[in-house]
Amino acid sequence: MIILMRIDKLLCEMNIGSRSQVKELIKKGLVCADGRVVKKPETHVDENTVVITCQGKVYRYVPYVYYMMNKPSGVITATRDETDRTVLDVLRAELSKCGSLTGIPLKDISPVGRLDKDTVGLLLLTNNGELSHNLLSPKNHVPKKYFVKTDGPISDEMVQALENGIMIGQKEKTLPAVIEDRNENQCMITIMEGKYHQIKRMFHAVGRNVIYLKRLSMGTLVLDQRLSEGQVRELTKEEVDALCLKT
């Protein structure tokens, strides 16, 4: 069954304007749906197929968007903040370089999970709430891989403790981690959960402090090494399909 959407609501979701701005555009005859001028804001259209023309620009409604960010240090993983720059601020700035933000549902986009302010690397941003839930649900055990540098050598005993699961708080034991490519004070670590400050707390529990942390992958999604810190790109269809299939 086809469910139709009011065109004023659709234009708002496409970030073309506020409800009052959209109604004014329609009133002035500046909005067309499939080549026909829309005369009433309550006009219903099929959002999955309709081609919108607004002030001479053509738009197609895309229900879900997916962006990969190489999160920079000093930016908080939030949609808004009164004092600090957020990953949504970074996203807006990066997308603005490619042209107008019109048509992108920015108000609905959120980061999937959280990276600390000083942590860099892979961050997925999307308005697909179901995918976000599936990737973050503890029962799904989605693997997350990080590159870690510590303030001292990582011993065999430390690796064994991390790979066995370790207490990082009262009655809070981690699942076994996977340690790879260890070299003096750095290694790759893969965890299957996402507790608060988990990796930093894990290394603190074995007597080391994390001085650098970068997320490299989350589930099937791998950080594009061509992205410098702060850069963003859309996910490919193959990346989206793999994420949705695995979760």
Side-chain angles (χ1 to χ4, degrees), residues 121-132:
L122 176 67
L123 186 67
L124 172 63
L125 299 107
T126 182
N127 60 339
N128 186 335
E130 182 179 0
L131 176 62
S132 297

Side-chain angles (χ1 to χ4, degrees), residues 64-223:
Y64 298 122
V65 294
Y66 308 86
Y67 295 100
M68 175 191 296
M69 176 184 293
N70 186 349
K71 177 192 170 295
S73 181
V75 173
I76 64 171
T77 308
T79 56
R80 62 174 62 89
D81 190 84
E82 295 297 326
T83 56
D84 290 310
R85 193 176 186 216
T86 71
V87 293
L88 260 293
D89 295 329
V90 175
L91 179 65
R92 289 188 186 93
E94 285 297 299
L95 295 180
S96 293
K97 294 178 183 178
C98 301
S100 172
L101 297 178
T102 304
I104 301 172
L106 284 170
K107 67 181 180 67
D108 298 321
I109 298 174
S110 298
V112 180
R114 182 181 181 277
L115 293 181
D116 296 338
K117 187 175 181 179
D118 60 346
T119 300
V120 301
L122 176 67
L123 186 67
L124 172 63
L125 299 107
T126 182
N127 60 339
N128 186 335
E130 182 179 0
L131 176 62
S132 297
H133 172 77
N134 290 338
L135 288 171
L136 298 175
S137 175
K139 68 179 182 180
N140 288 336
H141 300 309
V142 175
K144 292 167 278 288
K145 188 173 185 177
Y146 296 79
F147 171 71
V148 183
K149 286 185 180 180
T150 62
D151 61 352
I154 304 169
S155 68
D156 291 340
E157 292 76 18
M158 293 175 183
V159 170
Q160 184 175 2
L162 295 168
E163 290 189 331
N164 288 339
I166 191 166
M167 297 298 295
I168 58 174
Q170 188 176 13
K171 298 180 180 180
E172 192 173 12
K173 185 176 182 179
T174 66
L175 294 174
V178 176
I179 306 296
E180 301 172 291
D181 301 326
R182 175 167 56 107
N183 182 10
E184 289 295 326
N185 70 326
Q186 62 189 46
C187 68
M188 303 290 188
I189 181 171
T190 300
I191 60 174
M192 307 297 288
E193 52 197 337
K195 299 179 186 295
Y196 181 68
H197 292 321
Q198 180 170 338
I199 292 178
K200 293 178 179 178
R201 293 165 68 194
M202 290 173 71
F203 278 92
H204 182 74
V206 297
R208 290 289 178 262
N209 293 314
V210 173
I211 59 174
Y212 180 80
L213 185 60
K214 180 176 185 178
R215 183 155 69 186
L216 303 175
S217 65
M218 182 179 191
T220 61
L221 188 63
V222 179
L223 178 64

Side-chain angles (χ1 to χ4, degrees), residues 60-62 202 207 242:
R60 281 188 178 275
Y61 176 65
V62 179
M202 290 173 71

